[in-house]
Amino acid sequence: MKNSVKIIQSTSVMMLLILSLLAYGQTQKLPNVVILATGGTIAGAGASSTGSAYTSGQVKIEAMIDAVPNIRNLANLRGEQIANVGSQDMSVKVWLDLTNRINELLKGPDVDGIVITHGTDTQEETAYFLNLVVKSDKPVVLTGSMRPSTALSAEGPLNLYNAVAVAASPKAKGQGVLVVMNDEIHGAHNVKKMMTTPVQTFQSPEEGPVGSVIFGGVEFFNNQNGLNTVNSEFSVEGVKTLPRVDIFYGCADASADLIDYMVKAGAKGIVIAGVGDGNMNAPVLEAVKKATASGVKVVRASRVPVGVVLIQGEVDDEEYGTISSDQLNPQKARVLLMLALLKDRSREDMQKLFIEY
Ligand code: GLU
């Protein structure tokens, strides 16, 4: 009798041991994804589930992960809080902190992918910045939400679930930095925030999204254009700040003295959010000519949301010393110009960068 109890006991212990080992093995097989949180509406909270008033960056990353059912089945997850701001307050300092942390994490064999939670207002700028300075081909995915966590039909939890699925997917390796929102995967080079509040705000109007992610099912059907990550020549290792680059918004009868002011204030570069094909009125062109002659680099982008700015089109770039942003909108052209200004380069070399990146 005693012996049979012992046998049953030791069999149960063995079974438990085997089950634990199996469970451990399962956990081990999952990819390791780190979520770096920076705030935004995805971490926002408001008093009412149907009101539009809320404050960004209220919920901490661990609470955000816990709010997403089954997310831990996709990857071994851990979170780090890098910042907790609405992305209108995103800064070069956070960009540099984020880059250094991502490069450090991805160097290790124990991290397979990174997700960054981020406000949507400047998400495309951060994504494009990281696209140029992350030194790894492992997946780096930004996500956010348009509705705060307390809103009716908040889409943040599904966006986070899908972003983790993409960061955990071997298919995302070598795709550059990505933005996952509203079931779509976009390349950092092309993605733009196109609408003020709807959930379908992120679009890649020139090239389309690079893939889709439906309840964690990842498919890629395109590659983003432009050099990125391991193929990018840019690095912010040891960099503490970036040169000042301002954006001038073109319009009918625009005031040219604003260009003079930017130069006086210390801008090393100016991006023109020009009318049409990166154009500007005659007084602004003259102010730009003066600025470029003094060594300031001036890039012509467009306030029009879609399309390429032509080199030597209606504006004579050689005469005015200007550079075309090619496909980049003004805010992304500013990011590339800030990085390009870390080195002394001719106008021609700068123009080449805008075509390649
Ligand atoms: N201003 C907020 C932000 O960018 C709102 C946009 C959002 O996150 O959806 O953080």
Side-chain angles (χ1 to χ4, degrees), residues 76-237:
N76 299 317
L77 287 178
R78 66 187 170 84
E80 290 181 21
Q81 199 79 42
I82 301 289
N84 210 359
V85 293
S87 70
Q88 62 275 18
D89 288 319
M90 190 46 60
S91 62
V92 167
K93 185 189 174 303
V94 177
W95 284 349
L96 295 173
D97 289 350
L98 207 48
T99 308
N100 291 334
R101 189 64 187 130
I102 292 169
N103 282 334
E104 191 183 348
L105 285 166
L106 291 183
K107 250 186 222 156
D110 56 330
V111 178
D112 299 297
I114 302 276
V115 168
I116 300 146
T117 57
H118 196 292
T120 57
D121 288 350
T122 60
Q123 188 165 152
E124 67 196 79
E125 288 163 67
T126 302
Y128 185 60
F129 182 81
L130 296 175
N131 208 32
L132 300 178
V133 292
V134 163
K135 299 285 163 215
S136 169
D137 65 353
K138 292 180 186 175
V140 175
V141 181
L142 285 91
T143 193
S145 76
M146 297 304 288
R147 298 179 183 141
S149 64
T150 46
L152 189 62
S153 295
E155 88 284 24
L158 183 54
N159 284 345
L160 187 56
Y161 184 86
N162 281 337
V164 169
V166 174
S169 169
K171 294 178 190 170
K173 207 170 169 186
Q175 297 281 0
V177 175
L178 303 167
V179 168
V180 166
M181 293 277 292
N182 200 37
D183 295 355
E184 291 182 332
I185 310 170
H186 295 269
H189 179 273
N190 297 325
V191 70
K192 295 171 183 177
K193 186 175 188 180
M194 299 290 284
M195 300 174 189
T196 52
T197 59
V199 295
Q200 69 276 27
T201 183
F202 280 95
Q203 295 170 29
S204 300
E206 282 94 1
E207 317 276 336
V210 293
S212 68
V213 47
I214 316 290
F215 292 112
V218 179
E219 291 301 336
F220 278 86
F221 38 75
N222 211 343
N223 298 109
Q224 66 172 312
N225 55 348
L227 296 175
N228 61 61
T229 56
V230 286
N231 297 313
S232 164
E233 70 195 76
F234 298 105
S235 164
V236 288
E237 211 186 321

Side-chain angles (χ1 to χ4, degrees), residues 234-288:
F234 298 105
S235 164
V236 288
E237 211 186 321
V239 170
K240 297 278 172 260
T241 183
L242 295 176
R244 174 170 169 164
V245 174
D246 292 322
I247 298 180
F248 174 91
Y249 200 93
C251 58
D253 221 8
S255 310
D257 53 3
L258 290 176
I259 300 283
D260 303 332
Y261 176 76
M262 288 173 183
V263 176
K264 265 194 216 120
K268 301 286 176 270
I270 297 173
V271 174
I272 308 290
V275 296
D277 187 19
N279 218 332
M280 57 211 102
N281 64 25
V284 175
L285 272 173
E286 283 315 309
V288 162

Side-chain angles (χ1 to χ4, degrees), residues 1-14:
M1 181 69 177
K2 265 189 185 167
N3 275 350
S4 59
V5 169
K6 264 189 192 157
I7 288 166
I8 291 169
Q9 273 178 344
S10 54
T11 318
S12 318
V13 169
M14 283 292 283

Side-chain angles (χ1 to χ4, degrees), residues 23-34:
Y24 181 71
Q26 285 280 312
T27 319
Q28 286 303 294
K29 260 187 241 148
L30 289 175
N32 299 319
V33 172
V34 180

